C-alpha cells in the first residue's frame, strides 16, 4: 500500500517555511546570556516538526541536518549550554541553509549532503566543544550526535524489526523508518517474506513483512531507538550490537562529511553555495504564490452574506412575478438591500486576500541583525502596526522595496556609535517601522534617527550629473526628489550594501507599479523618514468617471487633485501651442483628452470644458473633459489578456450597464502628451 | 437580440452534430467541420473548434490609438474581448450593421497564449463538413488581395468557400505591427 503523500507535500513545505520563520524570529529574540525558555522551546518545536515531516517525505538530508540543530537546541533548552552570540549566529546560518535545502526540495531539486556539510561542521564543532568543556550534565544528548568521538557507540548494529500486521492503520510506514535509519549510517536490509500469504488472501492494508537490518555506523542505541519510537508498541524489535568489527568503510556518510579533511571541504562548500543560491533564484521566480490561509471567521462571514444575498434575490423574484406600480417602494428597498449585500460580499471577499503586513516585516529583523554586525553599528529596530492588513499581492511586492529602504537607513542614515556619542545622541540608533491606515491607503513609514540627508552633497552630485544647472537653487523638496533619480548615490564608496546608485529609483518604480507613492522627509542631524503610501488592493480602484464626447473614461481618484470649471480660468499659451491653466499659483499644461483619443466632441473651447487637475510621477497636468459623471469603485480588468497594452490606458472595467469603460493611466498619458 | 440567434457553445454541441452528419455521410470522421459566414456576398469558413459562441451585434467601447478595424472591446461575461470588423480587415466596402450582423467569438492561439477575440461578419450561414482532400491551396493573387489569412479553398455544392486561418487574424506579428503603428 502506498499512501498518496503528494498532496501533503505542499502543506509540509508551507508549514516548514512558516516553521523556519518562527525559528528565525525566535532566535533573534533570544537574549544572549539569559535565554527565555519559551523562545527556545518555540525554536525547538519548529525544528522538530521540520525534522519529522522531512523524514516522511524522504528528505534525508534535511532530517539529519535538522537533527543536529535539534541536539544543540535541546542542550540550550535544558540549560546545559549557555546561549552565546556564537551559537545564535550558527543557528541562524543553519536556518538559512535549511531554507535553501527545503526550497530545493520543493522545486524537486537534488539534495546532497555536501551542500550543508560546512554548516553541519560548525554545528557539530559547537557540540563537540561542549562535550569537552561542560560538566557533562546530560551526557545522553551529547552522545546523540554523530560527530562525537564517542566511547559508548558501537560500530555496527543488527536490528530485527517485525511490525504487527495492522501497522499501517496507525499511520506508520516501515519504509520511512528504514529511510530514517539510513540517515544514521550505511544499511543492509533483508526483508523476511515468510509471513506473506497467497495473493488471493492478501489484504493490501496489512503489513506481512519483517526486516533484519544491519546498520554500519557509529551510532548509539538511543539514536536507533528514537527512530522506532512511534512504533515501539506495535512491533517486535531487537537491537543488538555487532561486536568488535573494525572496518574502515563503516563510517556513516554524515560522519564522513564531518571527519573529512578541511581542505577538501572548502572546495566542496563553494560549489554548494553557488548551487543553492542559483536554486533560490529560480525557485522564487517560478513559484511565488501558492495558497493563502484564511481565518475561518472570514469564511463564515462570507457564507452568511451569501445566505442574505440568496434571500434578497428570492424576495425580488417574488416581487417580479406579479409586479404592479404600487409595489415600486418595495422594489426600491429590495434593490437597496441587494446593493448592500453585494457590497458587503465584495468587501469580505477582498478581506480574504488581506494579510497582516508583518509578513513583509518579518524579513527585516534578521537583515538588521546581520547588517548592523557587519557595519559595526548599534541598532534597535522598532516595529509598530504590524497587524495592519493589506492585499497579498501588495505584500509580496512590497518586501524588496522595504528591505532596500531599511538597508539604506542603516547604511547611510545611522552614524557609527562614536559619531553618535559625539553628536550627543545615544549610542544605539533606532530604526522605526510603522504601518497604519490613512483614508483608503496604507502608510508604511521607515524612520531613522541618524544624520539626515546631506542636502548639499545631493545637490552637488545632481549638478555633477547634469540633472540641474549649477546656478539654480532648488527647494528642499526638489533636492529630496533627486534621491529617486537613477544613477545618484551619495555614498562615498561603493559597498556591497549600497552606493551603486541603483536603488531608490527602483524602490520608487516598484512602489509606483503598485499604484503607490513614496516621499522622503529629512531633518539634518535628526534623521530621515520615508513614507510609502500603498493602495489597499490592486483589484479595485476608486475612480472618477468622465465623459469625453460620447465616450466614458475612468480616472483613478488617487491621481486627481482637483477639478475646475473651464469658464473663468486663466489660460495661457506658450509659443502659440502649449496650453497652460493657472492653478494655485502654478501653470499646469493642458491635455485635451479628445485630441489624444481622437474622439468626437462638442466642447472644443477650453472655456466649455472641465479641467481635471491630475498628478502622476511628480508631474501635474490638466485633463480637459466634457463632463464629470460620478465617483465609483471599479474592478480592474485586463486588456492585455485578450488584446494588448494601450498607451495611456491602464486597464478596463465594466460599468453598471454592462458596457466597458477604459481606465486612464495618468502618468502614461502625461508622457504621451509630452511626446506629441 | 432579434434575428441574432445565439448559438452558444457551438463547439460544445459539435459531437451531436457529428453524429448526425455521420449518419448521412459514410466517412465523415476524416473531414473537418467549418462554420461558414457571409462577408460582402462571399462565403468564408472557420474551423468550428475555434468558435466559442455567436452573438448578435452589440455596441462596443472604442479603444483609442488602435487600427480602425479594431472596433473596440466588449464585455463577455466579465472578460474584455477585442472585436475586429472583418470587412475592414479585408478592406471591403463598409455597410450599416443590421439584424443579421453577428459577432463570432473565436478562441485563437497567439504566440503561446490563448486569446479570445470577436469578429464582426454580415451573417452566419452554415456548418460544413469538408474532406481533407477537397481543400485546395489558396492561389497567389499577388499584393492586390490580402490572402494571408486564407488557408485554403473548398468547393461545396458548386460554390467556393474560403477557409480562414483564424490564428493569423490577430497573431503576434500582427500585434507587434499594431504596436509599431501606434507608437
Amino acid at each position: 500500500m502506498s499512501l498518496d503523500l503528494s498532496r501533503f507535500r505542499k502543506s509540509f513545505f508551507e508549514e516548514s517555511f512558516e516553521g523556519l520563520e518562527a525559528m528565525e524570529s525566535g532566535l533573534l529574540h533570544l537574549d544572549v546570556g539569559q535565554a527565555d525558555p519559551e523562545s527556545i522551546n518555540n525554536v525547538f518545536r519548529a525544528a522538530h516538526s521540520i525534522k519529522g515531516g522531512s523524514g516522511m517525505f524522504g528528505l534525508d538530508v534535511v532530517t539529519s541536518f535538522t537533527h543536529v540543530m535539534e541536539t544543540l537546541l535541546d542542550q540550550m533548552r535544558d540549560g546545559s549550554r549557555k546561549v552565546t552570540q556564537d551559537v545564535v549566529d550558527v543557528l541562524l546560518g543553519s536556518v538559512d541553509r535549511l531554507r535553501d535545502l527545503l526550497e530545493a526540495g520543493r522545486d524537486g531539486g537534488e539534495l546532497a549532503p555536501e551542500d550543508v556539510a560546512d554548516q553541519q561542521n560548525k554545528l557539530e564543532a559547537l557540540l563537540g566543544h561542549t562535550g569537552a568543556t561542560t560538566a557533562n550534565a546530560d551526557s545522553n544528548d551529547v552522545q546523540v550526535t554523530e560527530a562525537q568521538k564517542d566511547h559508548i557507540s558501537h560500530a555496527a548494529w543488527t536490528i530485527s524489526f517485525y511490525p504487527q500486521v495492522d501497522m499501517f492503520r496507525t499511520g506508520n510506514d516501515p519504509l520511512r523508518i528504514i529511510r530514517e535509519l539510513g540517515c544514521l549510517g550505511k544499511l543492509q536490509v533483508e526483508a523476511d517474506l515468510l509471513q506473506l500469504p497467497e495473493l488471493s488472501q492478501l489484504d493490501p492494508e496489512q503489513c506481512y513483512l519483517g526486516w533484519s537490518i544491519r546498520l554500519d555506523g557509529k551510532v548509539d542505541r538511543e539514536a536507533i531507538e528514537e527512530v522506532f519510537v512511534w512504533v515501539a508498541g506495535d512491533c517486535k524489535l531487537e537491537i543488538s550490537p555487532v561486536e568488535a568489527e573494525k572496518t574502515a568503510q563503516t563510517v556513516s556518510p554524515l560522519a564522513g562529511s564531518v571527519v573529512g579533511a578541511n581542505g577538501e571541504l572548502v572546495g566542496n562548500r563553494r560549489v554548494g553555495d553557488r548551487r543553492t543560491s542559483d536554486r533560490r533564484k529560480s525557485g522564487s521566480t517560478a513559484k511565488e504564490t501558492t495558497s493563502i490561509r484564511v481565518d475561518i471567521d472570514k469564511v463564515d462571514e462570507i457564507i452568511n452574506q451569501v445566505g442574505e444575498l440568496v434571500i434578497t434575490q428570492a424576495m425580488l423574484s417574488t416581487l417580479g412575478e406579479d409586479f404592479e406600480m404600487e409595489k415600486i417602494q418595495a422594489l426600491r428597498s429590495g434593490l437597496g438591500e441587494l446593493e448592500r449585500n453585494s457590497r458587503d460580499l465584495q468587501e469580505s471577499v477582498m478581506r480574504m486576500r488581506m494579510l497582516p503586513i508583518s509578513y513583509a516585516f518579518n524579513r527585516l529583523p534578521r537583515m538588521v541583525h546581520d547588517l548592523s554586525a557587519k557595519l559595526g553599528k548599534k541598532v534597535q529596530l522598532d516595529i509598530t502596526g504590524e497587524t495592519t492588513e493589506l492585499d497579498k499581492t501588495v505584500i509580496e511586492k512590497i518586501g524588496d522595496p522595504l528591505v532596500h529602504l531599511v538597508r539604506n537607513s542603516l547604511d547611510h542614515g545611522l552614524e557609527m556609535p562614536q559619531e553618535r556619542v559625539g553628536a550627543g545622541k545615544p549610542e544605539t540608533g533606532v530604526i522605526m517601522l510603522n504601518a497604519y491606515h490613512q483614508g483608503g491607503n496604507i502608510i508604511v513609514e521607515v524612520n531613522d534617527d541618524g544624520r539626515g540627508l546631506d542636502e548639499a552633497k545631493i545637490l552637488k552630485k545632481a549638478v555633477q550629473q547634469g540633472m540641474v544647472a549649477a546656478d539654480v537653487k532648488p527647494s528642499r523638496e526638489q533636492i529630496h526628489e533627486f534621491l529617486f533619480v537613477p544613477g545618484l548615490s551619495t555614498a562615498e564608496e561603493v559597498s556591497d550594501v549600497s552606493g551603486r546608485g541603483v536603488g531608490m529609483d527602483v524602490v520608487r518604480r516598484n512602489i509606483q507599479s503598485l499604484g503607490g507613492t513614496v516621499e522622503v522627509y529629512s531633518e539634518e542631524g535628526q534623521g530621515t523618514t520615508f513614507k510609502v503610501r500603498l493602495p489597499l488592493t490592486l483589484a479595485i480602484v476608486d475612480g472618477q468617471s468622465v465623459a469625453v464626447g460620447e465616450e466614458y473614461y475612468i480616472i483613478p481618484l488617487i491621481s486627481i487633485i482637483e477639478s475646475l470649471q473651464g469658464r473663468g480660468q486663466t489660460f495661457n499659451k506658450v509659443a502659440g501651442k502649449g496650453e497652460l491653466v493657472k492653478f494655485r499659483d502654478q501653470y499646469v499644461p493642458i491635455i485635451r483628452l479628445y485630441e489624444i483619443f481622437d474622439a468626437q466632441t462638442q466642447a472644443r473651447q477650453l472655456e466649455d470644458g472641465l479641467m481635471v487637475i491630475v498628478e502622476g510621477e511628480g508631474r501635474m497636468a490638466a485633463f480637459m473633459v466634457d463632463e464629470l459623471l460620478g465617483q465609483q469603485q471599479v474592478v480592474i480588468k485586463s486588456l492585455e489578456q485578450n488584446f494588448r497594452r494601450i498607451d495611456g490606458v491602464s486597464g478596463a472595467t465594466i460599468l453598471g450597464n454592462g458596457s466597458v469603460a477604459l481606465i486612464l493611466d495618468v502618468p502614461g498619458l502625461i508622457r504621451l502628451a509630452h511626446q506629441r | 437580440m432579434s434575428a441574432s440567434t445565439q448559438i452558444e457553445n457551438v463547439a460544445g454541441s459539435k459531437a451531436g452534430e457529428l453524429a448526425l452528419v455521420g449518419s448521412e455521410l459514410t466517412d465523415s470522421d476524416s473531414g473537418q467541420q467549418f462554420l461558414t459566414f457571409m462577408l460582402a456576398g462571399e462565403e468564408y469558413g472557420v474551423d468550428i473548434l475555434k468558435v466559442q459562441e455567436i452573438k448578435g451585434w452589440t455596441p462596443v467601447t472604442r479603444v483609442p490609438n488602435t487600427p480602425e478595424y479594431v472596433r473596440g472591446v466588449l464585455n463577455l461575461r466579465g472578460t474584455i474581448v477585442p472585436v475586429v470588423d472583418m470587412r475592414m480587415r479585408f478592406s471591403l466596402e463598409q455597410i450599416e450593421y443590421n439584424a443579421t450582423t453577428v459577432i463570432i467569438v473565436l478562441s485563437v492561439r497567439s504566440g503561446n497564449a490563448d486569446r479570445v477575440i470577436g469578429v464582426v461578419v454580415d451573417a452566419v450561414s452554415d456548418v460544413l463538413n469538408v474532406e481533407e482532400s477537397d481543400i485546395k491551396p489558396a492561389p497567389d493573387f499577388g499584393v492586390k488581395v490580402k490572402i494571408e489569412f486564407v488557408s485554403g479553398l473548398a468547393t461545396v455544392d458548386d460554390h467556393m468557400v474560403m477557409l480562414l486561418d483564424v490564428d493569423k487574424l490577430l497573431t503576434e506579428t500582427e500585434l507587434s505591427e499594431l504596436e509599431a503603428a501606434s507608437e
Side-chain angles (χ1 to χ4, degrees), chain A residues 328-356:
Chain A
I328 189 84
Q329 203 52 42
L331 177 70
R332 283 223 178 97
S333 77
L335 288 173
E337 188 79 353
L338 186 68
E339 188 192 333
R340 197 176 57 81
N341 288 154
S342 46
R343 197 178 321 117
D344 287 354
L345 193 61
Q346 183 195 21
E347 268 171 25
S348 305
V349 173
M350 294 316 291
R351 219 167 18 244
M352 280 213 311
R353 286 185 57 89
M354 297 297 221
L355 291 175

Side-chain angles (χ1 to χ4, degrees), chain A residues 90 106 194 234 254 263 336 339 351 358 370 420 459-460 467 476 482 487 526 537 577 657:
Chain A
V90 169
R106 176 192 60 189
L194 286 177
D234 300 332
L254 274 183
E339 188 192 333
R351 219 167 18 244
S358 57
D370 289 0
R420 288 183 65 89
L459 185 58
K460 204 178 116 199
M467 290 166 197
R476 291 189 62 188
F482 288 135
Q526 305 275 311
T537 172
K577 242 192 133 200
N657 62 5

Side-chain angles (χ1 to χ4, degrees), chain A residues 551 553 596-599 637-644 646-647 649 652 654 658-662 672 676, chain B residues 61-67 70 73-75 78-82 114-117 170 175 178-179 182-183:
Chain A
E551 294 165 4
Y553 293 96
I596 291 226
F597 289 154
D598 203 15
K637 300 271 179 184
S638 160
L639 263 181
E640 287 159 62
Q641 189 191 344
N642 289 318
F643 194 25
R644 66 180 179 91
I646 310 286
D647 285 332
V649 175
I654 294 162
S659 69
V660 181
L662 302 178
L672 205 66
R676 295 202 170 193
Chain B
T61 304
R62 192 182 69 93
V63 182
N65 302 326
T66 47
V70 178
V73 287
L74 183 77
N75 164 23
T79 43
I80 309 289
V81 172
D114 280 318
R115 290 170 196 263
V116 178
I117 65 165
L170 204 70
L175 276 176
L178 294 190
E179 254 160 56
S182 69
E183 271 167 24

Side-chain angles (χ1 to χ4, degrees), chain A residues 213-505:
Chain A
I213 302 163
R214 184 193 157 103
L215 173 67
D216 285 329
K218 284 189 185 290
V219 186
D220 65 358
R221 180 183 287 268
E222 195 157 319
I224 299 174
E225 276 171 358
E226 202 188 304
V227 173
F228 290 97
V229 69
W230 295 108
V231 293
D234 300 332
C235 67
K236 276 193 285 179
L237 182 67
E238 277 170 41
I239 305 173
S240 52
V242 176
E243 290 306 331
E245 225 191 313
K246 288 197 176 163
T247 39
Q249 79 275 23
T250 55
V251 185
S252 77
L254 274 183
S257 66
V258 176
V259 176
N262 275 340
E264 191 189 305
L265 266 176
V266 173
N268 244 344
R269 181 180 60 198
R270 292 235 174 95
V271 174
D273 276 355
R274 199 167 306 142
R275 214 184 319 161
T276 44
S277 61
D278 281 351
R279 265 185 213 147
R280 175 182 275 193
K281 231 179 262 168
S282 63
S284 60
T285 47
K287 293 170 188 167
E288 186 89 16
T289 43
T290 44
S291 62
I292 52 173
R293 288 171 174 235
V294 182
D295 203 14
I296 193 82
D297 288 348
K298 290 183 179 175
V299 178
D300 285 347
E301 198 183 313
I302 289 179
I303 290 172
N304 284 338
Q305 283 163 349
V306 170
E308 279 180 47
L309 188 69
V310 170
I311 294 168
T312 311
Q313 182 268 328
M315 196 253 289
L316 283 173
S317 63
T318 322
L319 197 64
E321 265 164 26
D322 50 347
F323 186 74
E324 289 154 27
M325 271 324 274
E326 298 91 82
K327 293 182 181 167
I328 189 84
Q329 203 52 42
L331 177 70
R332 283 223 178 97
S333 77
L335 288 173
E337 188 79 353
L338 186 68
E339 188 192 333
R340 197 176 57 81
N341 288 154
S342 46
R343 197 178 321 117
D344 287 354
L345 193 61
Q346 183 195 21
E347 268 171 25
S348 305
V349 173
M350 294 316 291
R351 219 167 18 244
M352 280 213 311
R353 286 185 57 89
M354 297 297 221
L355 291 175
I357 199 168
S358 57
Y359 280 83
F361 283 175
N362 276 348
R363 308 153 64 174
L364 300 171
R366 175 67 196 281
M367 193 201 74
V368 170
H369 168 96
D370 289 0
L371 200 63
S372 56
K374 196 167 157 194
L375 295 168
K377 293 181 180 178
K378 294 202 168 171
V379 190
Q380 184 192 335
L381 181 70
D382 286 346
I383 296 180
T384 46
E386 66 261 55
T387 52
T388 315
E389 291 192 328
L390 73 166
D391 194 283
K392 185 174 185 295
T393 353
V394 182
I395 287 193
E396 274 168 7
K397 292 189 178 151
I398 198 62
D400 286 336
L402 270 184
V403 165
H404 204 93
L405 285 176
V406 172
R407 202 150 54 177
N408 251 303
S409 294
L410 235 176
D411 194 26
H412 300 302
L414 293 182
E415 312 92 331
M416 299 301 281
Q418 58 271 26
E419 198 184 330
R420 288 183 65 89
V421 173
K425 292 187 200 175
E427 200 185 27
T428 305
V430 178
I431 293 182
M432 279 200 314
L433 270 172
N434 189 13
Y436 55 93
H437 283 267
Q438 194 180 70
N441 294 310
I442 293 277
I443 313 282
V444 184
E445 282 179 352
V446 180
N447 167 276
D448 67 68
D449 66 344
R451 58 171 80 93
L453 295 175
D454 189 342
E455 283 161 20
K457 202 150 98 186
I458 297 175
L459 185 58
K460 204 178 116 199
K461 201 77 187 212
V463 171
Q464 263 177 26
Q465 308 241 342
M467 290 166 197
V468 64
D471 51 344
V472 181
K473 274 221 176 307
S475 68
R476 291 189 62 188
E477 284 73 33
Q478 280 170 316
I479 295 177
H480 294 168
E481 272 300 300
F482 288 135
L483 221 61
F484 298 105
V485 173
L488 190 126
S489 172
T490 55
E492 247 123 70
E493 285 169 32
V494 172
S495 65
D496 63 344
V497 181
S498 49
R500 289 207 176 77
V502 286
M504 293 313 286
D505 61 314

Side-chain angles (χ1 to χ4, degrees), chain A residues 38-93:
Chain A
E38 194 41 46
S39 331
I40 299 184
N41 264 331
N42 280 341
V43 180
F44 182 83
R45 271 196 295 270
H48 191 74
S49 6
I50 293 175
K51 178 179 131 177
S54 59
M56 190 167 339
F57 294 100
L59 301 165
D60 299 341
V61 182
V62 177
T63 314
S64 61
F65 185 69
T66 330
H67 180 74
V68 185
M69 287 176 75
E70 202 182 86
T71 313
L72 190 64
L73 285 164
D74 196 33
Q75 289 181 11
M76 287 161 69
R77 190 167 62 157
D78 64 20
S80 65
R81 169 180 291 281
K82 289 234 159 35
V83 179
T84 63
Q85 193 60 46
D86 267 5
V87 176
V88 172
D89 284 346
V90 169
L91 282 171
L92 279 174

Side-chain angles (χ1 to χ4, degrees), chain B residues 35 50-55 74 76-77 81-83 102-108 116-119:
Chain B
L35 176 79
K50 301 276 187 186
V51 179
Q52 223 179 56
E53 67 179 73
I54 300 167
K55 57 181 288 160
L74 183 77
L76 189 78
R77 290 182 293 277
V81 172
V83 175
V102 292
I103 301 174
I104 304 177
V105 181
L106 298 167
S107 167
V108 302
V116 178
I117 65 165
V119 293

